[in-house]
Amino acid sequence: MKMTKEELLNLVNEKVENQDVKIELMENITDSMDVVADTSNMVDKATYDSLQADYEALKQKYADRFLAKEETKEEEEKKDDEVKEDAVVDVKEI
């Protein structure tokens, strides 16, 4: 069962009789559970959304740039193959 900080402190206060041990445990619980969130690395939602939009635009730009050329090369190769096939003339027909 997961307890809150206050519940745990109350339990220690009720169960432990030795004052020195009780104080030590309560101090350790208080120091351990008072974790302050580090917000220095966090950005606000507007900045995050702006950066996310920029990232998506950049990703699309590179996809268009590099993937479009690959498709164009494949299409050109198909056209070249078709032209080569048409260029073949059978000598017997002449």
Side-chain angles (χ1 to χ4, degrees):
M1 177 174 107
K2 190 172 183 176
M3 295 183 190
T4 65
K5 175 182 165 182
E6 290 78 24
E7 292 171 338
L8 189 56
L9 289 173
N10 288 335
L11 183 65
V12 169
N13 195 25
E14 291 173 6
K15 301 284 182 177
V16 179
E17 294 180 13
N18 186 337
Q19 288 289 34
D20 293 334
V21 173
K22 184 187 296 190
I23 291 171
E24 182 181 351
L25 287 172
M26 293 176 99
E27 180 183 14
N28 288 337
I29 292 168
T30 303
D31 291 345
S32 298
M33 297 184 86
D34 282 341
V35 178
V36 178
D38 182 20
T39 58
S40 62
N41 293 333
M42 298 183 76
V43 295
D44 60 348
K45 177 105 172 100
T47 304
Y48 174 80
D49 291 340
S50 173
L51 291 172
Q52 185 70 23
D54 291 345
Y55 172 73
E56 292 298 327
L58 188 62
K59 194 164 70 170
Q60 184 62 43
K61 175 184 165 187
Y62 279 97
D64 293 343
R65 178 179 172 192
F66 294 111
L67 297 179
K69 285 187 177 181
E70 288 179 9
E71 292 173 1
T72 305
K73 288 179 184 178
E74 290 174 4
E75 291 173 4
E76 288 177 5
E77 289 175 4
K78 287 180 183 177
K79 289 179 184 177
D80 290 342
D81 290 342
E82 291 173 6
V83 171
K84 289 177 184 176
E85 289 175 6
D86 293 338
V88 176
V89 176
D90 191 11
V91 179
K92 293 180 183 177
E93 291 179 4
I94 299 179

Coordinates of all heavy atoms in Angstrom, one line a residue:
M1 N 0.8 -1.2 0.0 CA 0.0 0.0 0.0 C 0.9 1.2 0.0 O 1.8 1.4 0.8 CB -0.9 0.0 1.2 CG -1.7 1.2 1.4 SD -2.9 1.0 2.7 CE -2.1 2.1 3.9
K2 N 0.6 2.1 -0.9 CA 1.4 3.4 -1.0 C 0.8 4.4 -0.1 O -0.4 4.7 -0.1 CB 1.4 3.8 -2.5 CG 2.3 4.9 -2.7 CD 2.4 5.2 -4.2 CE 3.5 6.3 -4.4 NZ 3.6 6.5 -5.9
M3 N 1.7 5.1 0.7 CA 1.2 6.1 1.7 C 1.7 7.4 1.2 O 2.7 7.6 0.6 CB 1.7 5.8 3.0 CG 1.3 4.5 3.7 SD 2.0 4.4 5.3 CE 1.6 2.8 5.7
T4 N 0.9 8.4 1.7 CA 1.4 9.8 1.5 C 2.4 10.1 2.6 O 2.6 9.3 3.5 CB 0.2 10.8 1.6 OG1 -0.3 10.7 2.9 CG2 -0.9 10.5 0.6
K5 N 3.0 11.2 2.4 CA 4.1 11.6 3.4 C 3.5 11.8 4.8 O 4.1 11.3 5.8 CB 4.7 13.0 2.9 CG 5.7 13.6 3.8 CD 6.2 14.9 3.3 CE 6.9 15.7 4.3 NZ 7.3 17.0 3.8
E6 N 2.3 12.4 4.9 CA 1.7 12.6 6.2 C 1.3 11.3 6.8 O 1.4 11.1 8.0 CB 0.5 13.5 6.0 CG 0.8 15.0 5.7 CD 1.1 15.2 4.2 OE1 0.7 14.4 3.4 OE2 1.8 16.1 3.9
E7 N 0.8 10.4 6.0 CA 0.4 9.1 6.6 C 1.6 8.3 7.1 O 1.5 7.7 8.2 CB -0.3 8.2 5.5 CG -1.7 8.8 5.1 CD -2.2 8.0 3.9 OE1 -1.5 7.4 3.1 OE2 -3.5 8.1 3.7
L8 N 2.7 8.4 6.4 CA 3.9 7.7 6.8 C 4.5 8.4 8.1 O 4.9 7.7 9.0 CB 4.9 7.8 5.7 CG 6.2 6.9 5.9 CD1 5.8 5.5 6.2 CD2 7.1 7.0 4.7
L9 N 4.4 9.7 8.2 CA 4.9 10.4 9.4 C 4.0 10.0 10.6 O 4.5 9.8 11.7 CB 4.9 11.9 9.2 CG 6.0 12.4 8.2 CD1 5.8 13.9 8.0 CD2 7.4 12.1 8.8
N10 N 2.7 9.9 10.4 CA 1.8 9.6 11.5 C 2.1 8.1 11.9 O 2.0 7.8 13.1 CB 0.3 9.7 11.0 CG -0.1 11.2 10.9 OD1 0.5 12.0 11.6 ND2 -1.1 11.4 10.1
L11 N 2.3 7.2 11.0 CA 2.6 5.8 11.3 C 3.9 5.7 12.1 O 3.9 5.0 13.1 CB 2.7 5.0 10.0 CG 2.9 3.5 10.2 CD1 1.7 2.9 10.9 CD2 3.2 2.9 8.9
V12 N 4.9 6.4 11.7 CA 6.2 6.4 12.5 C 5.9 7.0 13.9 O 6.4 6.5 14.9 CB 7.3 7.2 11.8 CG1 8.5 7.4 12.7 CG2 7.7 6.5 10.5
N13 N 5.2 8.1 14.0 CA 4.9 8.7 15.3 C 4.1 7.7 16.2 O 4.4 7.7 17.4 CB 4.1 10.0 15.0 CG 4.1 10.9 16.2 OD1 4.9 10.8 17.1 ND2 3.0 11.7 16.3
E14 N 3.2 7.0 15.6 CA 2.4 6.0 16.4 C 3.2 4.8 16.8 O 3.1 4.3 18.0 CB 1.2 5.5 15.7 CG 0.2 6.6 15.4 CD -0.9 6.1 14.5 OE1 -1.0 4.9 14.1 OE2 -1.8 7.0 14.2
K15 N 4.0 4.2 15.9 CA 4.7 2.9 16.2 C 6.0 3.0 16.9 O 6.3 2.1 17.6 CB 4.9 2.2 14.8 CG 3.6 2.0 14.0 CD 2.8 0.8 14.6 CE 1.6 0.6 13.8 NZ 0.8 -0.5 14.2
V16 N 6.8 4.0 16.7 CA 8.1 4.1 17.2 C 8.0 4.8 18.6 O 7.5 5.9 18.7 CB 9.1 4.8 16.3 CG1 10.5 4.9 16.9 CG2 9.1 4.1 14.9
E17 N 8.6 4.1 19.6 CA 8.6 4.7 20.9 C 9.8 5.5 21.3 O 9.7 6.5 22.0 CB 8.4 3.6 22.0 CG 7.0 2.9 21.8 CD 6.8 1.8 22.8 OE1 7.6 1.7 23.8 OE2 5.9 1.0 22.6
N18 N 10.9 5.1 20.8 CA 12.2 5.8 21.1 C 12.2 7.2 20.4 O 12.1 7.2 19.1 CB 13.4 5.0 20.6 CG 14.7 5.5 21.0 OD1 14.8 6.7 21.2 ND2 15.7 4.7 21.1
Q19 N 12.3 8.2 21.1 CA 12.2 9.6 20.6 C 13.4 9.9 19.6 O 13.1 10.5 18.6 CB 12.3 10.7 21.7 CG 11.0 10.7 22.5 CD 9.9 11.3 21.8 OE1 9.7 11.2 20.6 NE2 9.0 12.0 22.5
D20 N 14.6 9.4 19.9 CA 15.7 9.7 19.0 C 15.5 9.0 17.6 O 15.7 9.6 16.6 CB 17.0 9.2 19.6 CG 17.4 10.0 20.8 OD1 17.0 11.2 20.9 OD2 18.1 9.5 21.7
V21 N 15.0 7.8 17.7 CA 14.8 7.0 16.4 C 13.6 7.7 15.7 O 13.6 7.8 14.4 CB 14.5 5.5 16.7 CG1 14.1 4.8 15.5 CG2 15.7 4.9 17.4
K22 N 12.6 8.0 16.4 CA 11.4 8.7 15.8 C 11.8 10.0 15.1 O 11.4 10.2 13.9 CB 10.4 9.0 16.9 CG 9.1 9.5 16.3 CD 8.1 10.0 17.4 CE 7.7 8.8 18.3 NZ 6.6 9.2 19.2
I23 N 12.6 10.8 15.7 CA 13.0 12.1 15.1 C 13.9 11.8 13.9 O 13.7 12.4 12.8 CB 13.7 12.9 16.2 CG1 12.8 13.4 17.2 CG2 14.4 14.1 15.5 CD1 13.4 14.1 18.4
E24 N 14.8 10.8 14.0 CA 15.6 10.5 12.9 C 14.8 10.0 11.7 O 15.0 10.4 10.5 CB 16.7 9.5 13.3 CG 17.6 9.1 12.2 CD 18.6 8.0 12.7 OE1 18.7 7.7 13.8 OE2 19.3 7.5 11.8
L25 N 13.9 9.1 11.9 CA 13.1 8.6 10.8 C 12.2 9.7 10.2 O 12.1 9.8 9.0 CB 12.2 7.5 11.3 CG 12.9 6.1 11.6 CD1 11.9 5.2 12.3 CD2 13.4 5.5 10.3
M26 N 11.6 10.5 11.1 CA 10.7 11.6 10.5 C 11.5 12.6 9.7 O 11.1 13.1 8.7 CB 10.0 12.3 11.7 CG 9.0 11.3 12.4 SD 8.2 12.1 13.8 CE 6.7 12.6 13.0
E27 N 12.7 12.9 10.2 CA 13.6 13.8 9.4 C 14.0 13.2 8.1 O 13.9 13.9 7.0 CB 14.9 14.1 10.2 CG 15.9 15.0 9.5 CD 17.1 15.2 10.3 OE1 17.4 14.4 11.3 OE2 17.9 16.1 10.0
N28 N 14.3 11.9 8.0 CA 14.7 11.2 6.8 C 13.5 11.2 5.8 O 13.6 11.4 4.6 CB 15.2 9.8 7.0 CG 16.6 9.8 7.7 OD1 17.3 10.8 7.5 ND2 16.9 8.8 8.3
I29 N 12.3 10.9 6.4 CA 11.1 10.8 5.5 C 10.8 12.2 4.9 O 10.6 12.4 3.7 CB 9.9 10.3 6.3 CG1 10.1 8.9 6.7 CG2 8.6 10.5 5.6 CD1 9.1 8.3 7.7
T30 N 10.9 13.2 5.8 CA 10.6 14.6 5.3 C 11.6 15.0 4.3 O 11.2 15.6 3.2 CB 10.6 15.6 6.5 OG1 9.7 15.1 7.5 CG2 10.3 17.0 6.1
D31 N 12.9 14.8 4.5 CA 13.9 15.2 3.5 C 13.8 14.4 2.2 O 14.1 14.9 1.2 CB 15.3 15.0 4.1 CG 15.6 16.0 5.3 OD1 14.8 17.0 5.4 OD2 16.6 15.8 6.0
S32 N 13.5 13.1 2.3 CA 13.4 12.3 1.1 C 12.2 12.6 0.3 O 12.2 12.5 -0.9 CB 13.4 10.8 1.5 OG 14.6 10.5 2.2
M33 N 11.1 12.9 0.9 CA 9.9 13.1 0.2 C 9.6 14.5 -0.3 O 8.6 14.8 -1.0 CB 8.7 12.5 1.0 CG 8.8 11.0 1.2 SD 7.4 10.3 2.0 CE 6.3 10.0 0.6
D34 N 10.4 15.4 0.1 CA 10.3 16.8 -0.3 C 11.1 17.0 -1.6 O 12.1 17.8 -1.6 CB 10.7 17.8 0.8 CG 9.6 18.0 1.9 OD1 8.5 17.6 1.6 OD2 10.0 18.4 2.9
V35 N 10.7 16.4 -2.6 CA 11.4 16.5 -3.9 C 10.8 17.6 -4.7 O 9.6 17.6 -5.0 CB 11.4 15.2 -4.6 CG1 12.1 15.3 -6.0 CG2 12.0 14.1 -3.8
V36 N 11.5 18.6 -5.0 CA 11.0 19.7 -5.7 C 11.3 19.5 -7.2 O 12.4 19.1 -7.6 CB 11.7 21.1 -5.3 CG1 11.2 22.2 -6.2 CG2 11.4 21.3 -3.8
A37 N 10.3 19.6 -8.0 CA 10.5 19.4 -9.5 C 11.4 20.4 -10.0 O 11.3 21.6 -9.8 CB 9.2 19.5 -10.2
D38 N 12.4 20.0 -10.8 CA 13.3 20.9 -11.5 C 12.7 21.4 -12.8 O 12.6 20.7 -13.8 CB 14.6 20.1 -11.8 CG 15.7 21.0 -12.5 OD1 15.6 22.2 -12.3 OD2 16.6 20.5 -13.1
T39 N 12.3 22.6 -12.7 CA 11.6 23.2 -13.9 C 12.5 24.1 -14.7 O 12.1 24.7 -15.6 CB 10.4 24.1 -13.4 OG1 10.9 25.1 -12.5 CG2 9.4 23.2 -12.7
S40 N 13.8 24.1 -14.4 CA 14.7 24.9 -15.2 C 14.9 24.5 -16.6 O 15.2 25.3 -17.5 CB 16.1 25.0 -14.5 OG 16.7 23.7 -14.4
N41 N 14.7 23.2 -16.9 CA 14.9 22.7 -18.2 C 13.5 22.6 -19.0 O 13.5 22.2 -20.1 CB 15.4 21.3 -18.2 CG 16.9 21.3 -17.7 OD1 17.6 22.2 -17.8 ND2 17.3 20.2 -17.1
M42 N 12.5 23.0 -18.4 CA 11.2 23.0 -19.0 C 10.9 24.2 -19.8 O 11.3 25.3 -19.5 CB 10.1 22.7 -18.0 CG 10.2 21.4 -17.2 SD 8.9 21.1 -16.1 CE 7.6 20.6 -17.2
V43 N 10.1 24.1 -20.9 CA 9.7 25.2 -21.7 C 8.2 25.3 -21.7 O 7.5 24.3 -21.4 CB 10.2 25.1 -23.2 CG1 11.7 25.2 -23.2 CG2 9.7 23.9 -23.8
D44 N 7.7 26.5 -22.0 CA 6.2 26.6 -21.9 C 5.6 26.0 -23.2 O 6.3 25.6 -24.1 CB 5.8 28.1 -21.9 CG 6.3 28.9 -23.0 OD1 7.2 28.4 -23.8 OD2 5.9 30.1 -23.2
K45 N 4.3 25.8 -23.1 CA 3.6 25.0 -24.2 C 3.7 25.7 -25.5 O 3.9 25.0 -26.6 CB 2.1 24.9 -23.8 CG 1.2 24.2 -24.8 CD 0.9 22.8 -24.3 CE -0.1 22.2 -25.3 NZ 0.5 21.3 -26.2
A46 N 3.6 27.0 -25.6 CA 3.7 27.8 -26.9 C 5.1 27.5 -27.5 O 5.2 27.3 -28.7 CB 3.5 29.3 -26.6
T47 N 6.1 27.6 -26.8 CA 7.5 27.4 -27.3 C 7.6 25.9 -27.8 O 8.2 25.7 -28.9 CB 8.6 27.6 -26.2 OG1 8.4 29.0 -25.7 CG2 10.0 27.5 -26.8
Y48 N 7.1 25.0 -27.0 CA 7.1 23.6 -27.4 C 6.4 23.4 -28.7 O 6.9 22.7 -29.7 CB 6.6 22.7 -26.3 CG 6.5 21.3 -26.8 CD1 7.6 20.4 -26.7 CD2 5.2 20.7 -27.2 CE1 7.5 19.1 -27.1 CE2 5.2 19.4 -27.6 CZ 6.3 18.6 -27.6 OH 6.2 17.3 -28.0
D49 N 5.2 23.9 -28.8 CA 4.4 23.8 -30.1 C 5.1 24.4 -31.3 O 5.1 23.9 -32.4 CB 3.0 24.4 -29.9 CG 2.2 23.6 -28.9 OD1 2.5 22.4 -28.7 OD2 1.2 24.2 -28.4
S50 N 5.7 25.6 -31.0 CA 6.4 26.2 -32.1 C 7.6 25.4 -32.6 O 7.8 25.2 -33.8 CB 6.9 27.6 -31.6 OG 7.8 28.2 -32.6
L51 N 8.4 24.9 -31.7 CA 9.5 24.0 -32.0 C 9.1 22.7 -32.7 O 9.7 22.3 -33.6 CB 10.3 23.7 -30.8 CG 11.1 24.8 -30.2 CD1 11.7 24.4 -28.8 CD2 12.2 25.3 -31.1
Q52 N 7.9 22.2 -32.2 CA 7.4 21.0 -32.8 C 7.0 21.2 -34.3 O 7.3 20.4 -35.2 CB 6.2 20.4 -32.0 CG 5.7 19.1 -32.5 CD 6.6 18.0 -32.3 OE1 7.5 18.0 -31.4 NE2 6.4 16.9 -33.1
A53 N 6.3 22.4 -34.5 CA 5.9 22.7 -35.9 C 7.1 22.9 -36.8 O 7.2 22.5 -38.0 CB 5.1 24.0 -35.9
D54 N 8.2 23.6 -36.3 CA 9.4 23.8 -37.0 C 10.1 22.5 -37.4 O 10.5 22.3 -38.5 CB 10.4 24.7 -36.3 CG 9.9 26.1 -36.1 OD1 9.0 26.5 -36.9 OD2 10.5 26.9 -35.3
Y55 N 10.1 21.6 -36.4 CA 10.7 20.3 -36.7 C 9.9 19.5 -37.7 O 10.5 18.9 -38.6 CB 10.7 19.5 -35.3 CG 11.1 18.0 -35.5 CD1 12.4 17.7 -35.8 CD2 10.1 17.0 -35.5 CE1 12.8 16.4 -35.9 CE2 10.5 15.7 -35.6 CZ 11.8 15.4 -35.9 OH 12.2 14.1 -36.0
E56 N 8.6 19.5 -37.7 CA 7.8 18.8 -38.7 C 8.0 19.4 -40.1 O 8.1 18.7 -41.1 CB 6.3 18.8 -38.3 CG 6.0 18.0 -37.1 CD 6.3 16.5 -37.2 OE1 6.2 16.0 -38.3 OE2 6.7 15.9 -36.2
A57 N 8.1 20.8 -40.1 CA 8.3 21.4 -41.4 C 9.7 21.1 -42.0 O 9.8 20.8 -43.2 CB 8.2 22.9 -41.3
L58 N 10.7 21.0 -41.1 CA 12.0 20.7 -41.6 C 12.1 19.2 -42.0 O 12.7 18.9 -43.0 CB 13.0 20.9 -40.4 CG 14.5 20.8 -40.7 CD1 14.9 21.8 -41.7 CD2 15.3 20.9 -39.4
K59 N 11.4 18.4 -41.3 CA 11.4 17.0 -41.7 C 10.7 16.8 -43.1 O 11.2 16.0 -43.9 CB 10.6 16.2 -40.6 CG 10.8 14.7 -40.7 CD 10.4 13.9 -39.5 CE 8.9 14.0 -39.3 NZ 8.5 13.1 -38.2
Q60 N 9.6 17.5 -43.3 CA 8.9 17.4 -44.6 C 9.8 18.0 -45.7 O 9.8 17.5 -46.8 CB 7.6 18.2 -44.5 CG 6.8 18.1 -45.8 CD 6.4 16.7 -46.1 OE1 6.0 15.9 -45.2 NE2 6.5 16.3 -47.3
K61 N 10.5 19.1 -45.4 CA 11.4 19.7 -46.4 C 12.4 18.7 -46.9 O 12.7 18.6 -48.1 CB 12.1 20.9 -45.8 CG 13.1 21.6 -46.6 CD 13.8 22.8 -45.9 CE 15.0 23.2 -46.6 NZ 15.8 24.2 -45.8
Y62 N 13.1 18.0 -45.9 CA 14.1 17.1 -46.3 C 13.5 15.8 -47.0 O 14.1 15.3 -47.9 CB 15.0 16.7 -45.1 CG 16.0 17.7 -44.8 CD1 15.8 18.7 -43.9 CD2 17.2 17.7 -45.5 CE1 16.8 19.7 -43.6 CE2 18.1 18.7 -45.3 CZ 17.9 19.7 -44.4 OH 18.9 20.6 -44.1
A63 N 12.4 15.4 -46.5 CA 11.7 14.3 -47.2 C 11.4 14.7 -48.7 O 11.7 13.9 -49.6 CB 10.4 13.9 -46.5
D64 N 10.9 15.9 -48.9 CA 10.6 16.3 -50.3 C 11.9 16.4 -51.1 O 11.9 16.0 -52.2 CB 9.9 17.6 -50.3 CG 8.5 17.5 -49.7 OD1 8.0 16.4 -49.6 OD2 7.9 18.6 -49.3
R65 N 12.9 16.9 -50.4 CA 14.2 17.2 -51.1 C 14.8 15.9 -51.6 O 15.3 15.7 -52.7 CB 15.1 18.0 -50.2 CG 16.5 18.2 -50.9 CD 17.3 19.0 -49.9 NE 18.7 19.1 -50.4 CZ 19.7 19.6 -49.7 NH1 19.5 20.0 -48.5 NH2 20.9 19.6 -50.2
F66 N 14.9 14.9 -50.7 CA 15.7 13.7 -50.9 C 14.9 12.6 -51.5 O 15.3 11.9 -52.4 CB 16.4 13.2 -49.7 CG 17.5 14.2 -49.3 CD1 17.4 14.9 -48.1 CD2 18.6 14.4 -50.0 CE1 18.3 15.8 -47.7 CE2 19.6 15.3 -49.6 CZ 19.5 16.0 -48.5
L67 N 13.7 12.4 -51.0 CA 12.8 11.3 -51.5 C 12.3 11.6 -52.9 O 12.1 10.7 -53.7 CB 11.7 11.0 -50.5 CG 12.2 10.5 -49.2 CD1 11.0 10.3 -48.2 CD2 13.0 9.3 -49.3
A68 N 12.0 12.9 -53.2 CA 11.5 13.2 -54.5 C 12.5 13.0 -55.6 O 12.1 12.5 -56.7 CB 11.0 14.7 -54.5
K69 N 13.8 13.2 -55.3 CA 14.8 13.0 -56.3 C 14.9 11.5 -56.6 O 15.2 11.1 -57.7 CB 16.1 13.5 -55.8 CG 16.2 15.0 -56.0 CD 17.6 15.5 -55.6 CE 17.6 17.0 -55.8 NZ 18.9 17.6 -55.6
E70 N 14.8 10.6 -55.6 CA 14.9 9.2 -55.8 C 13.8 8.7 -56.7 O 14.0 7.9 -57.6 CB 14.8 8.5 -54.5 CG 16.1 8.6 -53.6 CD 16.0 7.9 -52.3 OE1 15.0 7.2 -52.1 OE2 16.9 8.1 -51.5
E71 N 12.6 9.2 -56.5 CA 11.4 8.9 -57.3 C 11.6 9.4 -58.7 O 11.3 8.7 -59.7 CB 10.1 9.4 -56.7 CG 9.7 8.8 -55.4 CD 8.6 9.5 -54.8 OE1 8.0 10.5 -55.4 OE2 8.2 9.1 -53.7
T72 N 12.2 10.6 -58.9 CA 12.4 11.1 -60.2 C 13.5 10.3 -60.9 O 13.3 10.0 -62.1 CB 12.9 12.6 -60.1 OG1 12.0 13.3 -59.3 CG2 13.1 13.2 -61.4
K73 N 14.5 9.8 -60.3 CA 15.5 9.0 -60.9 C 14.9 7.7 -61.4 O 15.2 7.2 -62.5 CB 16.7 8.7 -59.9 CG 17.6 9.9 -59.7 CD 18.6 9.6 -58.7 CE 19.5 10.8 -58.3 NZ 20.5 10.5 -57.3
E74 N 14.1 7.1 -60.6 CA 13.4 5.9 -61.0 C 12.5 6.1 -62.2 O 12.5 5.2 -63.1 CB 12.6 5.3 -59.8 CG 13.4 4.8 -58.6 CD 12.6 4.4 -57.5 OE1 11.3 4.5 -57.6 OE2 13.1 4.0 -56.4
E75 N 11.8 7.2 -62.2 CA 11.0 7.5 -63.4 C 11.8 7.7 -64.6 O 11.5 7.2 -65.7 CB 10.1 8.7 -63.1 CG 9.0 8.5 -62.1 CD 8.3 9.7 -61.7 OE1 8.6 10.8 -62.3 OE2 7.4 9.6 -60.8
E76 N 13.0 8.4 -64.5 CA 13.9 8.6 -65.6 C 14.4 7.3 -66.1 O 14.6 7.1 -67.3 CB 15.0 9.6 -65.2 CG 14.5 11.0 -65.0 CD 15.6 11.9 -64.5 OE1 16.8 11.5 -64.4 OE2 15.4 13.1 -64.2
E77 N 14.8 6.4 -65.2 CA 15.3 5.1 -65.7 C 14.3 4.3 -66.4 O 14.6 3.7 -67.4 CB 15.8 4.3 -64.4 CG 17.0 4.9 -63.8 CD 17.4 4.1 -62.5 OE1 16.7 3.2 -62.2 OE2 18.4 4.6 -61.9
K78 N 13.0 4.4 -66.0 CA 11.9 3.7 -66.7 C 11.8 4.3 -68.1 O 11.6 3.6 -69.1 CB 10.6 3.8 -66.0 CG 10.6 3.0 -64.7 CD 9.3 3.1 -64.0 CE 9.2 2.3 -62.7 NZ 8.0 2.5 -62.0
K79 N 11.8 5.6 -68.2 CA 11.7 6.3 -69.5 C 12.9 5.9 -70.4 O 12.7 5.7 -71.6 CB 11.6 7.8 -69.3 CG 10.3 8.3 -68.7 CD 10.3 9.8 -68.6 CE 9.1 10.2 -67.9 NZ 9.1 11.7 -67.6
D80 N 14.1 5.9 -69.9 CA 15.3 5.5 -70.6 C 15.1 4.1 -71.2 O 15.5 3.8 -72.3 CB 16.6 5.6 -69.8 CG 16.9 7.1 -69.5 OD1 16.4 8.0 -70.2 OD2 17.7 7.3 -68.6
D81 N 14.6 3.2 -70.3 CA 14.4 1.8 -70.8 C 13.4 1.7 -71.9 O 13.6 1.0 -72.9 CB 14.0 0.9 -69.6 CG 15.1 0.7 -68.6 OD1 16.2 0.9 -68.9 OD2 14.7 0.3 -67.4
E82 N 12.4 2.5 -71.8 CA 11.4 2.5 -72.9 C 11.9 3.0 -74.2 O 11.7 2.5 -75.2 CB 10.1 3.4 -72.4 CG 9.3 2.7 -71.3 CD 8.3 3.7 -70.8 OE1 8.1 4.7 -71.4 OE2 7.6 3.3 -69.8
V83 N 12.7 4.1 -74.1 CA 13.3 4.7 -75.3 C 14.3 3.7 -75.9 O 14.3 3.5 -77.1 CB 14.1 6.0 -74.9 CG1 14.9 6.5 -76.1 CG2 13.0 7.0 -74.5
K84 N 15.1 3.0 -75.1 CA 16.0 2.0 -75.6 C 15.3 0.9 -76.3 O 15.7 0.4 -77.4 CB 16.9 1.4 -74.5 CG 17.9 2.4 -73.9 CD 18.7 1.9 -72.8 CE 19.6 2.9 -72.2 NZ 20.3 2.4 -71.0
E85 N 14.2 0.5 -75.8 CA 13.4 -0.6 -76.5 C 12.9 -0.1 -77.8 O 12.8 -0.9 -78.8 CB 12.2 -1.0 -75.6 CG 12.7 -1.8 -74.3 CD 11.5 -2.1 -73.4 OE1 10.4 -1.8 -73.8 OE2 11.8 -2.6 -72.3
D86 N 12.5 1.1 -77.9 CA 12.0 1.6 -79.2 C 13.1 1.8 -80.2 O 12.8 1.7 -81.4 CB 11.3 3.0 -79.0 CG 10.0 2.8 -78.1 OD1 9.4 1.7 -78.1 OD2 9.5 3.8 -77.5
A87 N 14.3 2.0 -79.8 CA 15.4 2.3 -80.7 C 15.9 1.0 -81.4 O 16.6 1.1 -82.4 CB 16.5 2.9 -79.9
V88 N 15.5 -0.1 -80.9 CA 16.0 -1.4 -81.5 C 15.2 -1.6 -82.8 O 14.0 -1.6 -82.8 CB 15.7 -2.6 -80.5 CG1 16.1 -3.9 -81.2 CG2 16.5 -2.3 -79.3
V89 N 16.0 -1.8 -83.9 CA 15.3 -2.0 -85.2 C 15.8 -3.4 -85.7 O 17.0 -3.7 -85.7 CB 15.8 -1.0 -86.2 CG1 15.2 -1.3 -87.6 CG2 15.4 0.4 -85.7
D90 N 14.8 -4.2 -86.1 CA 15.1 -5.5 -86.6 C 15.7 -5.4 -88.0 O 15.0 -4.8 -88.9 CB 13.9 -6.4 -86.5 CG 14.2 -7.8 -86.8 OD1 15.4 -8.2 -86.8 OD2 13.3 -8.6 -86.9
V91 N 16.8 -6.0 -88.3 CA 17.4 -5.9 -89.6 C 16.5 -6.6 -90.7 O 16.5 -6.3 -91.8 CB 18.8 -6.5 -89.6 CG1 19.5 -6.5 -91.0 CG2 19.7 -5.8 -88.6
K92 N 15.8 -7.7 -90.3 CA 15.0 -8.4 -91.2 C 13.9 -7.6 -91.8 O 13.4 -7.8 -92.9 CB 14.5 -9.7 -90.6 CG 15.5 -10.7 -90.2 CD 14.9 -11.9 -89.5 CE 16.0 -12.8 -89.1 NZ 15.4 -14.0 -88.3
E93 N 13.4 -6.6 -91.0 CA 12.3 -5.8 -91.5 C 12.8 -4.9 -92.6 O 11.9 -4.4 -93.4 CB 11.8 -4.9 -90.3 CG 11.1 -5.8 -89.3 CD 10.5 -4.9 -88.1 OE1 10.6 -3.7 -88.2 OE2 10.0 -5.5 -87.2
I94 N 14.0 -4.5 -92.7 CA 14.5 -3.6 -93.7 C 14.6 -4.3 -95.0 O 14.3 -4.8 -95.9 CB 15.8 -3.0 -93.4 CG1 15.7 -2.3 -92.1 CG2 16.4 -2.1 -94.5 CD1 16.9 -1.6 -91.6

